[in-house]
Amino acid sequence: PFHPAEHTVNTEKSSASEFNLQGDYKIGGIFKVHTADALTCLIPNGSIFHSLYRQPFTIEGYSMMQVMRFAVQEINNSSTLLPNISLGYKIFDTCAAVQNFPSILDLISNNGKITVVTNRDNIPHNVIAVVGPYGSADTVLLAPPFMMDLIPMISYGASSSTLSNKLVYPSFLRTVPTNKDIIGLIIQIINNFGWNWVAFIGSQDDEYSRNGLELFREYIQDTNICLASLYALQKNSNFEDVLRKIDSLSINVIILFMLEDYARDVIKTAIKINIEGKVWIAGDTWSMDRELSTTPGIEKIGTVFGVTDRTLSLPGFADFVYKSRFKGETDECVNCSSVGETCNQACENCTSLNVEKLIHVNPTYSFSIYTAVYAIAHALHVALNCSKVGCKSLSMFPFSFKLLQYVRKSNFALHNRVIRFDEYGDPPASFAVVHWRPKRDPFFVMVGTYDTYPTVRFTLNNNLVSWYDNGTVPFSNCSVECETGFARVQNSVQKCCFQCEKCPANTYINTSVDFYTCTSCQEGEWSDEGSTYCRKRSIVYLQYTDLLSILFLLCAASFMVVSVTITILFAINYNTPVVKSAGGSMCFLMLVCLILSNIGVFFYFGVPQPASCVLRNIFFIFFFTVCLSCMAVRSFQVVSVFKMAAKFPKAYSWWMKHNGQWLCLAVYTVLHLIACWIWLQFGRPKPYNDNASFKDQTILSCDIGTVVTSILAWSFLWVLSVVCFCFSYMGKDLPKNYNEAQSITFSLVLFYLGWIAYFTAYIVFRGPYVQLLNAVAQLTSSYGIIISFFIPRTYIIVFQPSKNTQAYFQTKIQTYTQTISRM
């Protein structure tokens, strides 16, 4: 079987002092009471040079240690938390890394021995848990020994998010919010005032700054904030040069995310070189720094915002410090001189401390230390199954790794704050935004709050902020914000450096979604230039109920009635000379075609449909062309009888023998029918939404289809109208009863005028009534033939029957023959 290996740790045992208190259970404490570099710590204690290299005493670290002592005393005085159980502590001063490990080994040992085993069930340690250390860098360095045996390690100041990795730091917890929360609050402050041109200054030497910078760069990726300048400083960096470069870039917001020593050097340099009027955003390390608050010239640097814990005062702590001074506890501390070996338990200046100064040291981490001790006590309360009567026997004490599970499940109230840990051992954030007011009382004023539990809540009272030189909110943007309705056009690598362009008509910009894109309005919507939303277009089309539509439909219906009436009248008088001179059976074809050609005008009303768009023009194009074909061949035949029969007898004989007029009519009709089929097959008209004519209207209409096929179909009609006009001119001197020049000319003039009016309106005007003009042009063309060709003949049949005789027509022919013979 495996036998545990035992290693002896040589440490000097300290008597009861500020660093050591006996108790049933001991808590370890790690605080930086002194600071020292490697050179100082390597100098032997008895060396003549030791006095020249005193380890600087830090009152902040000493004050933190007093908070832990105060919390332990308060718990021991409680009759409910751990009744009949006393807590002790063993505190070590971590002045430098090379001197820390003897102290750490003492904490994880048991009576000077460290047992290495795979089973932790029966291995005790000198302490059940550890409070500390302060910084992220120290925590990363000191945590591994505690992680091996899963000793709960609760830090009060290590905020690096790296420590949330439970695979590497399984027993690490903290009572200070992580850098994720701090950076999240800083971004909230920046966004609150509309800044986007900021500088970030950190230090290269500590994990806190490096992690903060990494998180800041990650979190601003999806925001409007630009990191205009970034510096990771070292102690030997040229602070003056850095600040001057930032000032030259017109950056007015500077995030100073570093430990207090670095921050003091940067701020003092800014005062020295007269950097004025900036906005400084402090991390939690120096936001409540008392030393900087009393630095001469601090009021000149500008406006300072800081992030700190919401609970800064601990009731009873001041009394505890006063009593400790009068008890002479520091005298015992002075007599402890193991500094040479452990860099610990030596407080040469403790007795000379000013109590008031000690009480008013930066309180940022006081509540975090206080909470850490109470978290251990509450976990112990649960582990020992304590009640008002008392706790279980000491023999029932769970070892450190078992206590860890109770610490993780902590959920209790402390000074009106909920204390709990998430799965990463991190607490909810409860920050205050403090504002510095130099030369005013109080110096530190809380102007905002930030909480992450149970939900994220951020508030900031702008009215409480006193801007530098009693001015307004400083401008710290790369570009002036675009006016409403303008889109950003990026002109630099930085996303917040841009120009502004007004969004064109029928587009809009929604800055809540995208600052850079003018989005096109959807179908059926419109907008003016520089719009932030689109409006619904009003839908316009020819309606049956419109007054002009009603008048037109009455005219169309009247045409149908007149045409049918004339057809019936001509059928009754079919064998009369007037009907025969009008073309006989061909005139009936003309009348039927005129009636059919105007069926399409009834499809111009209502919402256009694919079928109605086709029927609007196809009836007119085909049947009106057939009607004109009848007029053309009829005119040609009359001219042939009177003028060409004698000159070209054979041609005239062939024409009459083979019914030339019907043959020409059939050939032309078939060719036109093929052209119409091509038009409908390959480029038929279809519904069209006209959004261009009016910005706020959508006119529902029909297009003409493919241009080539449309021209092909319409060309038959226009060519035929010219031919017809030529034949009518050739017969202008024929007998009046056979002279159709006037009627054809009149009908063609109406035809041309109607279509010229339509095409003119189509080019010049826009609107639903342009479509009505198309229907009017069709109806006018048909009315022209009815009025000029059929109405005169109808008048003779009805009112002048004497002229509708064979004798009358023979007389007119003889008169024409005599006139021609005299010429």
Side-chain angles (χ1 to χ4, degrees):
F2 174 77
H3 295 285
E6 295 185 350
H7 300 270
T8 302
V9 179
N10 294 319
T11 58
E12 294 191 19
K13 295 182 180 179
S14 302
S15 59
S17 69
E18 290 186 287
F19 292 90
N20 200 353
L21 178 67
Q22 297 301 320
D24 296 325
Y25 303 108
K26 274 192 175 183
I27 301 174
I30 302 175
F31 298 93
K32 192 179 289 292
V33 181
H34 296 86
T35 59
D37 55 23
L39 176 62
T40 306
C41 291
L42 289 174
I43 298 174
N45 192 29
S47 170
I48 59 173
F49 299 104
H50 188 266
S51 61
L52 300 177
Y53 293 94
R54 292 289 184 183
Q55 297 169 359
F57 174 77
T58 62
I59 190 170
E60 292 85 357
Y62 184 71
S63 175
M64 292 178 185
M65 185 184 79
Q66 299 305 315
V67 173
M68 176 177 172
R69 296 180 62 241
F70 166 67
V72 170
Q73 177 179 293
E74 198 173 67
I75 292 169
N76 286 335
N77 292 337
S78 171
S79 60
T80 57
L81 187 55
L82 291 174
N84 76 320
I85 296 293
S86 63
L87 279 184
Y89 50 77
K90 196 165 190 176
I91 300 174
F92 284 94
D93 174 14
T94 56
C95 70
V98 295
Q99 299 292 82
N100 285 335
F101 280 99
S103 304
I104 300 306
L105 295 176
D106 182 86
L107 292 176
I108 67 173
S109 67
N110 180 28
N111 296 323
K113 294 181 180 181
I114 298 177
T115 304
V116 181
V117 294
T118 56
N119 184 0
R120 303 183 181 93
D121 285 347
N122 300 310
I123 304 300
H125 304 91
N126 283 344
V127 295
I128 60 172
V130 175
V131 175
Y134 163 60
S136 298
D138 286 344
T139 303
V140 170
L141 182 67
L142 301 178
F146 298 98
M147 302 300 109
M148 288 192 307
D149 287 346
L150 298 181
I151 300 174
M153 185 181 198
I154 307 179
S155 175
Y156 51 84
S159 58
S160 172
S161 61
T162 304
L163 296 166
S164 297
N165 187 344
K166 294 296 103 179
L167 294 176
V168 181
Y169 306 99
S171 63
F172 174 82
L173 302 97
R174 53 183 147 203
T175 51
V176 62
T178 69
N179 279 351
K180 291 182 179 180
D181 296 318
I182 300 171
I183 295 299
L185 174 53
I186 289 174
I187 291 175
Q188 291 272 19
I189 295 172
I190 294 171
N191 287 331
N192 181 78
F193 294 107
W195 299 317
N196 62 24
W197 195 237
V198 302
F200 192 103
I201 304 178
S203 60
Q204 191 174 339
D205 300 333
D206 66 90
E207 172 66 19
Y208 169 78
S209 284
R210 290 193 297 269
N211 179 249
L213 171 59
E214 179 184 342
L215 291 171
F216 185 77
R217 298 178 76 167
E218 176 186 346
Y219 285 9
I220 65 173
Q221 287 182 358
D222 297 328
T223 69
N224 294 323
I225 301 172
C226 290
L227 187 54
S229 186
L230 162 66
Y231 292 97
L233 304 180
Q234 294 177 310
K235 278 295 184 182
N236 59 352
S237 297
N238 189 333
F239 293 179
E240 293 186 10
D241 185 53
V242 168
L243 292 174
R244 286 195 174 98
K245 286 180 179 178
I246 291 175
D247 191 45
S248 67
L249 293 174
S250 300
I251 303 172
N252 289 324
V253 176
I254 303 172
I255 303 166
L256 214 54
F257 203 82
M258 51 179 53
L259 299 179
E260 57 268 31
D261 291 340
Y262 276 94
R264 289 166 185 167
D265 292 341
V266 173
I267 294 298
K268 289 176 181 178
T269 302
I271 296 173
K272 176 183 174 183
I273 63 175
N274 294 321
I275 298 294
E276 299 180 354
K278 302 296 183 183
V279 175
W280 303 82
I281 301 180
D284 59 329
T285 56
W286 66 277
S287 59
M288 300 289 291
D289 193 289
R290 301 285 181 178
E291 180 179 323
L292 277 179
S293 67
T294 57
T295 302
I298 190 67
E299 71 279 358
K300 296 181 180 179
I301 65 170
T303 306
V304 180
F305 291 100
V307 177
T308 188
D309 193 278
R310 181 87 65 83
T311 306
L312 296 176
S313 61
L314 297 175
F317 177 64
D319 293 338
F320 170 80
V321 173
Y322 275 111
K323 291 178 182 179
S324 297
R325 297 298 93 191
F326 291 117
K327 282 184 179 180
E329 292 182 358
T330 54
D331 295 337
E332 297 177 357
C333 171
V334 174
N335 295 327
C336 304
S337 59
S338 58
V339 64
E341 297 183 9
T342 62
C343 189
N344 188 42
Q345 277 73 14
C347 306
E348 287 93 343
N349 299 321
C350 294
T351 54
S352 61
L353 284 177
N354 183 294
V355 177
E356 289 296 328
K357 186 176 182 181
L358 179 61
I359 292 173
H360 293 94
V361 166
N362 181 354
T364 299
Y365 300 101
S366 297
F367 189 74
S368 298
I369 300 167
Y370 186 77
T371 302
V373 178
Y374 265 89
I376 297 170
H378 275 271
L380 201 57
H381 175 92
V382 177
L384 296 177
N385 197 18
C386 296
S387 64
K388 294 181 179 180
V389 179
C391 301
K392 282 185 178 181
S393 171
L394 299 184
S395 60
M396 300 296 292
F397 167 69
F399 294 96
S400 297
F401 81 96
K402 291 185 178 179
L403 183 65
L404 175 62
Q405 62 180 319
Y406 296 108
V407 177
R408 286 175 174 169
K409 295 178 182 178
S410 295
N411 193 346
F412 60 93
L414 190 63
H415 291 292
N416 297 321
R417 290 267 296 274
V418 175
I419 309 301
R420 63 192 302 274
F421 301 99
D422 62 17
E423 64 270 26
Y424 304 107
D426 301 328
S430 183
F431 283 127
V433 179
V434 294
H435 168 52
W436 291 17
R437 301 193 306 173
K439 296 184 177 180
R440 297 175 66 181
D441 189 37
F443 184 91
F444 301 105
V445 177
M446 187 176 78
V447 296
T449 61
Y450 181 77
D451 296 283
T452 60
Y453 181 83
T455 58
V456 176
R457 298 187 306 277
F458 170 73
T459 61
L460 199 151
N461 190 340
N462 297 347
N463 296 327
L464 296 178
V465 179
S466 301
W467 297 105
Y468 173 72
D469 201 22
N470 294 322
T472 56
V473 179
F475 180 81
S476 189
N477 299 68
C478 182
S479 301
V480 178
E481 193 59 48
C482 293
E483 296 179 8
T484 302
F486 284 73
R488 297 178 181 178
V489 179
Q490 193 168 332
N491 59 0
S492 171
V493 176
Q494 296 282 13
K495 60 186 176 184
C496 50
C497 299
F498 50 83
Q499 294 177 332
C500 298
E501 288 187 1
K502 182 180 285 188
C503 288
N506 294 322
T507 66
Y508 72 98
I509 184 167
N510 185 357
T511 53
S512 63
V513 177
D514 187 0
F515 287 93
Y516 298 88
T517 305
C518 295
T519 306
S520 298
C521 293
Q522 296 181 358
E523 185 72 21
E525 295 181 338
W526 71 281
S527 68
D528 288 320
E529 288 186 346
S531 294
T532 56
Y533 61 93
C534 293
R535 301 179 178 90
K536 287 287 185 182
R537 290 177 177 269
S538 57
I539 306 301
V540 179
Y541 56 91
L542 281 176
Q543 299 187 31
Y544 290 100
T545 56
D546 190 86
L547 179 60
L548 291 178
S549 299
I550 293 173
L551 291 176
F552 174 82
L553 290 172
L554 289 175
C555 293
S558 300
F559 175 83
M560 294 296 185
V561 172
V562 170
S563 298
V564 171
T565 302
I566 292 175
T567 302
I568 295 172
L569 183 64
F570 272 45
I572 295 173
N573 296 275
Y574 179 74
N575 294 317
T576 62
V578 171
V579 175
K580 291 184 177 295
S581 66
S585 58
M586 188 171 286
C587 71
F588 290 101
L589 177 61
M590 291 174 62
L591 286 168
V592 171
C593 287
L594 285 176
I595 294 171
L596 293 176
S597 67
N598 285 280
I599 292 178
V601 300
F602 295 100
F603 294 98
Y604 277 86
F605 306 93
V607 177
Q609 303 295 331
S612 64
C613 287
V614 172
L615 296 176
R616 283 184 178 189
N617 287 298
I618 191 63
F619 277 101
F620 178 78
I621 291 175
F622 181 74
F623 289 108
F624 193 79
T625 301
V626 174
C627 182
L628 276 186
S629 299
C630 293
M631 293 182 67
V633 296
R634 172 64 185 160
S635 298
F636 177 75
Q637 185 168 338
V638 172
V639 171
S640 297
V641 170
F642 287 96
K643 292 191 175 184
M644 299 180 62
K647 297 181 181 180
F648 305 101
K650 292 183 178 181
Y652 177 73
S653 176
W654 183 92
W655 175 272
M656 295 301 296
K657 180 180 179 180
H658 294 90
N659 291 320
Q661 71 273 22
W662 291 105
L663 182 62
C664 290
L665 179 62
V667 170
Y668 199 82
T669 300
V670 170
L671 291 176
H672 189 221
L673 184 62
I674 294 173
C676 291
W677 179 85
I678 293 173
W679 181 37
L680 297 181
Q681 188 68 24
F682 300 103
R684 70 178 61 188
K686 54 185 178 296
Y688 166 67
N689 294 343
D690 179 11
N691 295 321
S693 298
F694 298 95
K695 66 180 184 181
D696 58 344
Q697 294 180 358
T698 295
I699 301 174
L700 304 184
S701 61
C702 299
D703 61 15
I704 63 172
T706 305
V707 175
V708 175
T709 56
S710 298
I711 292 176
L712 178 64
W714 282 89
S715 62
F716 279 80
L717 176 60
W718 293 102
V719 170
L720 189 61
S721 68
V722 175
V723 172
C724 190
F725 189 84
C726 293
F727 286 156
S728 68
Y729 180 79
M730 291 171 62
K732 65 181 184 301
D733 55 350
L734 294 179
K736 185 175 181 182
N737 289 346
Y738 294 93
N739 190 342
E740 298 174 353
Q742 292 181 354
S743 61
I744 293 176
T745 300
F746 178 79
S747 63
L748 289 177
V749 167
L750 283 181
F751 172 79
Y752 289 132
L753 288 177
W755 285 100
I756 288 173
Y758 165 67
F759 287 127
T760 302
Y762 182 83
I763 294 172
V764 177
F765 302 105
R766 289 291 183 269
Y769 294 116
V770 174
Q771 302 173 65
L772 185 60
L773 282 178
N774 190 355
V776 169
Q778 295 182 20
L779 191 60
T780 302
S781 302
S782 299
Y783 261 116
I785 295 176
I786 287 290
I787 292 173
S788 64
F789 191 84
F790 288 102
I791 292 297
R793 289 168 170 77
T794 302
Y795 182 81
I796 292 173
I797 293 174
V798 175
F799 297 105
Q800 295 180 338
S802 60
K803 294 182 179 181
N804 189 15
T805 60
Q806 192 70 30
Y808 180 79
F809 274 75
Q810 288 294 335
T811 302
K812 291 295 181 182
I813 293 174
Q814 291 173 1
T815 304
Y816 172 77
T817 303
Q818 292 173 0
T819 303
I820 292 297
S821 63
R822 294 193 193 100
M823 294 177 61

